[in-house]
Amino acid sequence: MKKLKLAFASLLLALSFSSIIAFAQTGIPVSGQVKDEKGQTLKGVSISVKGNSAGTSTDADGRFSLNVPSRESILVFSFVGYDQQERKAGNKFLDVTFNLSNKQLDDVVVVGYGTQKKVSMTSAVAAISGKDLTNRPVTSLEQALQGKVPGLTILDKGGQPGAANTPIVLRGVNTLYTSEDLSGASVAPLVLIDGIEQPFSNVNAEDIESISVLKDASSTAIYGSRASNGVLVITTKRAKAGKIMVNYGGYYGSQKAVTTPKPMDLASYLHLENLAYKNVGSAPPKPYRDQDIDAYIQGHATDPLHYPLPYDWYSRAFHDAAQTNHTLSISGGNENFKGRASVRFQDQNGIIDNTNSKVAEARVNTDFRVSSKINVSMDLDYRYENDHNPYGLANILQFMTQNAIWVVPRYPNGDYGGGAQGNNPLLLIDKGGYNHQVSDYLIGNLKGVWQIVKGLNFTTQFASHSTNVYGKLYQNTWATQDSTVVKKSNLHNMLTESRNDNRDYTLNNLLDYSNKFGDHGLKVLLGYSQIQYSSNTLSAYRQDFYNNDVQSLSAGANDATKDNSGLDAGWGLRSYFGRLNYAYKDKYLFEANGRFDGSSRFTGNNQYSFFPSFSAGWRISQESFWEGLLDKVNELKLRGSYGKTGNQAVALYSYFPTLSLVTYDFNNLAAQGYIQSQIANPDLTWESTTESDVGLDASFLHNRFTLAVDYYKKRTSGILLTLPVPGTLGLQAGPQNAGKVDNTGWEFTLGSQNQLGRFGLGVTLNMSINTNKVVDLAGTGPFYYGTDQNPRYTIQEGYPIYSFWGYKTAGFYQSDADAAKGPFYTRTAKAGDVRYVDMNKDGQIDANDQTYLGNSFPKFTFGGAFNLSYRAFSLNFALQGVAKSSVRMAGAFGQGGNYEGMVPDIYTNNYWTPDHPNAEFARPTKQDLRNQTNNDRLVLDASYLRVKNAQLVYRLPATWMKKANISQASVYVSGTNLLTFSKLNAWHLDPESMSGVQNYYPQISVYSVGFNITL
Amino acid sequence: MRYYKYIVIALAGTWLLQGCAKDLLNTVPNDRISTEIFWKTDNDATLAANAIYLDMAETADHFIGWDCMSDIVFTNPTGPVEASIAQGTFNALNSRISGDWSTYYAGIRGANSFMTHVGEVQTTNPALISRLKGEVRAMRAYFYMRLVSLFGDVPLVTTEISLGESEKVTRTPAAKVWDFVAAELDTAATLLPAKQTDLGRVTKGAAMAIKARAMLYAGRYPDAATAASQVMASNTYSLYPTYKTLFSYAAENNAEDILDIQFLPDVYPNNIFQAFAPRSVNANSKWVPTKKIVDAYQMKNGLDITDPSSGFDPANPYLNRDPRLGYSVFVPGDVLPNGKTFNSLPNSTTGDAVGSSFVVSPTGFNIEKYVNKEDLSKPADCGINFILIRYAEVLLTYAEAMIEQNNLDASVYDAINKIRQRSDVNMPPITSGQTQDQLRAIVRHEREVEFAFESLRYFDIRRWKIAGTVMPGKVNGLTYKDTNGVFQTVEVPGWTQTWDDRNYLWPIPQKEIDLNKNLTQNTGW
């Protein structure tokens, strides 16, 4: 880390030095005045010399003066909200007039199956340009998007290379058919890349031209049954006709864990355990007896091999790790043929040894102009990913807090210690075996557009997308040993190889018409789409290889343990859809969408469903009465939408009454059996969400400030829910359409672009508020998940989905007499135990006293992006945070030494004793979790604010570049997750940590140095 | 040329439309079978009956979990749901309770479906169908025996009910359920052969042995004695000569084994070695014997260790004891499956020393029954069968049922002594002339030690109503001399058990009450 900081500092120095050189230039003086079309002088117009870092801005009278290298120099005039203008220096005095052309008028946003002018949008869509995503090194696109779009909540739950856990949720969780950690795909928005559904992670961020986040029903209904969770429409970059452009970008980054848990020191731990035994009336065993403690501490100081620490894994297992990334793109062409090709290589080492991810990807986008009426494009995208991890990584991470106490991590002779339980996470990282996964993704996307007559186009698109995942899981034989005693061994090496092939075909046919009849603007779209998906998995197992280096299936023991399995699955979707846009004088806007979707997941009359939406907008600023206000508010639009979307996230074949295969044996021979285990529900149908949205878009002071506000109200009904059924039925429940969930919320975006002389300042702030509530569970519930000692979640009416559930507490009992008065959770409360609140006042503490304790899904999310520029420098940084979010500590973090888990150092001198009556934690106990059952003391506030990233860029002087025939080049330094404000800092945990035992791969910070060049 | 281009594109478009549209929305799974095509052949009937065996089968944790809820086994660490039942802190939300309810009714559903649909099979082998009916009916009776002994009155469901019906069923009085169990087992016995080719299937003897147990649990002692004596008279079963190897692979399916759960490594394995064996042989010591069961084994002379004249030596507590102690429990000094000596004394430095970690046995004892050295290298892939009913139980059921009727003839002594005098047990026989109370105590003691860790104890302490005496208090382990030469008894830290008389019946699972307003809760819950 130190080295990197040094590199940072020296780079900064070098950059500042070179800019001083640039300053020192002299040349020919030029001056002038800038006015708008009405002849008013304009203040604050920035003027720069093309290809040079010199520049200035106009004063109060619109005047400016500066020196240029030659008469041939080009001056560039730019003013926020106006088209840029270029003038040759030529004369000594320049008179420049700006046309009041609002360039945002022409901004176009990509929407479902088409594009739309931003000003005539009537729905809630956020657009992000590719530039905003790649202005810092990112290992995942999800992380780059975090905090950028109000309403789009992205959680960063850990940074394992190639497997970052970053669930995305738009406008709150809509469905219950998922798990509390949001790992189910059914909560994620639909992602389309160039019109084809693909995983979000499959696109090179450098290839992205724009991302449109379709939020309300008006914008998403055209995707019908898959649109309830919102839609992300990603468009990739295409070539422009002209000179061949070559661009290279690369960076080197060093990653470290944002934070890792910190164990309690040895002396504190021994004393805590000593007390814990005494508190439950037991004599402490070795080494916690009074007479052992000092001896052990002494022993550890002189002979750590005989007196190891209780837990010493985090500091040994985690280290800084390197990451490199290279991107190269070439683009250009002529009117008849244009092409863009790009490649990217990424190599990311993990902060744990033997974790690594390599990505290589290539994309070729081509455009052919077959005739004046026919355009064809053909795109190919290939992605290769190679992920390598130790065998059983989850287990390894768990051993860092549990079941690996008093272990010598490694002896000088190379042996790995075993301690009492025989577990050693370091051994498992180094020698435990591996989990190797190689994925190939290939997408071919062929599209033809035929202009039948002017304004009427027919588009056909066919895409084939295949994903092949090859997995190899090899568990080594190994042993932990202390001196000559083997503590634990794995006697069999085992190999599982798997193949998973998925392919899908998409066909889209579109007919679109657009024309203007006087004041009436009309656009019509009709479309047909179908998707066919199939998957196949195959897996094989052998064990007992000659040694750990022999790793081929055929080389394993050909005994009864050999095993194989396979599975096919498929689904299809057939859809008809349409859209109508009507605008009167570009002032009154109206849009209607509809989609008729058929899905193989349902049967009978439920197979097809219709999803309509309507929206309207009123550009108040276009009204004549507004004219006087245009100087202050140059754009004001009110818009509203209402519509219905669906969700088909139900397990395949759920409607199908089937018998499942089970295996038993008689007389040591396998015997098959068939039995119905689940209720089939032929009445299954779509979840449907109706959503209304009211929004306002405004621009102030010639677009210097922009504001967007949205209020939405969503109700999802017919939620696919596995309702409990009576046990007496003898079958497991299948999914049923029951239950309603509401999500309501506000979204705000405030933008500002300012130029003060040579200083440029751009700020974008956003915030969203989402309230999630289960409204109806069809007369069933409440449902509880989890146990007393692990996070208990509930789904019940009146509360957010997957709320934490447990006891309220009111401090500690301060005396045994006080404790004896009860009410008790256990029958023997003592001083220092948690005082649970008897919510129903029935004199006892039981399940009926449990109540709402919080929710892990944040209610408030906010983000801010800041761009400062001065001459050739620019500084970008982003803030991001959430509020009203909770996390439940469990496992070692909640138990406080009750078993043999690692005790976090926050417990040090912070537990109840008669001398510390106001400590944070209850009195320590042994094997007695009375104080650790789900209660509000263990549900912590997970709100945070963090500097998500900061980047300092220096654009190299054009004069230097000219000599080398380079059109542009820049260098930068950057860092992610730089600073975090959170209550969980005291726990040495990331605020986005997962509830529970905290044995997950930590979030990472990346410090990097990078370079971009365009030829 | 220009038109040519259009034609090519139009053709390509048409081809694309046609190419992949076939049966787009009719995807049929190929990994399962539709109910519509089933119930046609004899094999379908066999497959359907086979599946029901899985609901009678139990995992190692579930199997030993019964004993954990009694006084003879402690679970370590105290995570499993059975621990809260043992401790007395459980309620109607306990997942063992709701899980067992659901499992037995799932088995009953399977059986009811079988009985409803088996008639649809175009059979070529009526004998097979009749035999399968016997197996299925016997298993359904077994499920009801479990339900009624745990919950008391339970809904008696004998047909394939709908979801709506399941939300309305009411509890049938226990006596009626016992009537059903008895009648079904009688019928099953007439349909079943004395021996099955597929070892592990329910036999005629098994049906009658289940009946003997059920009637004993129901307190219908004459019926219990009759059913037991029918098994005894069948001459099909006998005691296995050695207790020591009764639970070994070599003894699988022996003449004492009446009904068991059949396991097969890799295909249908259990993890009993991992769950029972000590830490030092790569296992988890998850379920461990308590001081109570170890102390229950008499001295070899037939006297209790508490008897001053028994010759019990606290310094050598495992010397001259009922040999079944040595066969059932790992005590310090025993040889482990890896050939090493077990030493769990707290001051030993082995990986099994009490208190050295919470994953070693906190009592200093480990279960030896069912721990076989064949499973040493794959402790979670064991094939050893768990015996559900063995002939020894039938003998003691007979004895107990006779004693409870105050029918104290020689056959009673004979039944008990057969067990005490198995060749490698060879405990002194019970001498004649005992009172009913004395014999009752004798047969109860004999059940406790003979069937330790075989999942019978919890049912016994409930029906004998002795749980209130044996359950409360601390859980202790071995007694040893500390460095000062003073005897110390190991105690599980922070663990105190209680008993409430409402526990004699489990609560109806809360979920069932919530979903079916017609279900009443048991008293006290």
Side-chain angles (χ1 to χ4, degrees), chain B residues 244 247 273 276-278 287 289 323-331 334-337 365-372 453:
Chain B
K244 183 182 167 69
F247 308 96
F273 187 98
F276 286 8
W287 311 89
R324 285 174 292 188
L325 171 61
Y327 306 147
S328 307
V329 181
F330 283 118
V331 295
D334 280 0
V335 178
L336 292 171
F365 304 121
N366 276 87
I367 304 175
E368 187 170 354
K369 222 175 236 185
Y370 287 117
V371 172
N372 286 292
F453 323 122

Side-chain angles (χ1 to χ4, degrees), chain A residues 763-839:
Chain A
V763 179
T764 313
L765 300 172
N766 73 71
M767 181 173 83
S768 55
I769 308 167
N770 181 267
T771 307
N772 176 284
K773 194 164 96 173
V774 178
V775 179
D776 184 14
L777 288 172
T780 66
F783 306 113
Y784 299 103
Y785 307 87
T787 65
D788 280 340
Q789 309 308 333
N790 286 311
R792 171 170 286 135
Y793 300 92
T794 185
I795 292 181
Q796 64 178 286
E797 291 170 7
Y799 295 99
I801 292 171
Y802 290 114
S803 292
F804 291 117
W805 199 251
Y807 300 103
K808 290 255 187 234
T809 63
F812 302 114
Y813 289 113
Q814 295 296 354
S815 70
D816 287 351
D818 189 17
K821 285 183 219 147
F824 306 137
Y825 170 65
T826 61
R827 294 161 210 222
T828 54
K830 288 249 172 62
D833 279 342
V834 160
R835 186 195 299 267
Y836 291 107
V837 176
D838 184 10
M839 296 294 281

Side-chain angles (χ1 to χ4, degrees), chain A residues 664, chain B residues 53 55-58 62-63 66 104 139 142-143 145-146 200 202 206 209-210 213 217 247 256-263 370 385-391 393 451 454-456:
Chain A
Y664 189 62
Chain B
Y53 278 88
D55 290 311
M56 191 164 69
E58 298 177 64
H62 192 274
F63 181 73
W66 295 116
Y104 295 131
M139 285 189 279
Y142 180 89
F143 300 139
M145 171 184 73
R146 278 280 165 92
V202 181
I210 297 169
R213 183 195 282 184
Y217 284 7
F247 308 96
E256 185 171 343
D257 175 8
I258 298 178
L259 183 65
D260 59 12
I261 310 170
Q262 297 261 321
F263 288 100
Y370 287 117
N385 297 343
F386 303 164
I387 298 173
L388 290 175
I389 303 181
R390 56 189 171 95
Y391 186 55
E393 184 194 340
F451 303 124
E454 293 181 54
S455 79
L456 292 182

